[in-house]
Structure formats: C-alpha cells, structure tokens
Amino acid sequence: GLADGGGVPEATPTPVVTTGETPPPGFVQIPDTIGLSAEEAIATASEAGLNWTLSCNHDESLEPRVYDQEPPAGTPVAPGSRFTMFYPRTDPCD
C-alpha cells in the first residue's frame, strides 16, 4: 500500500551544475553575484570573463545590492557570454 515506502533510492544524482562544480572544458561558470555591491559584482563578472551588463532601476525600497541575475549562478557558458545583473539604484549606471 501507500505506507510501505518500498524501494526509495538513497541518493539520486542530478544533472544540474551547481556553484563549486567544474564547468565542462571550454566553458566558464556563471558566478553568484546576488547580494554583492555593484563594484563587487562587476569585478566578479569581469574576473569570470563574461560580457556583463548592470541593469539599474530606481527602487529605493531595496538594499543597494544585486538582487537578481540572468543566467543563474552555476550555469556553464562560453567565455564572453552575456550576463546581466539587476541593481536597484541608478547611481552605478549614471
């Protein structure tokens, strides 16, 4: 019946690349810039060899830190790939 729990595997490998894993040869891994200041995020994206963009908004209700990014952290991409970080202030983009 439903209560026997029969044959549940102990660990199931997942194909998702997460932060800390090595990307495939010829690829770089998208860094996690969420929560970083604009300066830290730009330095991190540059160090990873990405073609980054800082998308600035005017939202004083959010802390002045990167609040989202695309693609997500851990995604393997070719060097020079587009990477967008979303920042709630306009001052770094002025």
Side-chain angles (χ1 to χ4, degrees):
L2 296 175
D4 67 9
V8 176
E10 287 190 28
T12 304
T14 175
V16 176
V17 176
T18 58
T19 302
E21 291 185 19
T22 305
F27 286 79
V28 296
Q29 191 172 34
I30 294 291
D32 186 1
T33 61
I34 294 175
L36 299 180
S37 68
E39 295 79 19
E40 293 169 323
I42 289 167
T44 300
S46 296
E47 194 174 290
L50 299 168
N51 179 12
W52 58 267
T53 300
L54 188 64
S55 178
C56 296
N57 301 307
H58 185 72
D59 187 345
E60 297 295 324
S61 70
L62 295 175
E63 210 176 307
R65 302 265 178 215
V66 173
Y67 64 88
D68 200 5
Q69 65 180 47
E70 183 61 38
T75 304
V77 296
S81 291
R82 299 182 92 188
F83 176 57
T84 304
M85 300 168 286
F86 298 92
Y87 194 76
R89 304 287 197 276
T90 57
D91 51 303
C93 295
D94 293 337

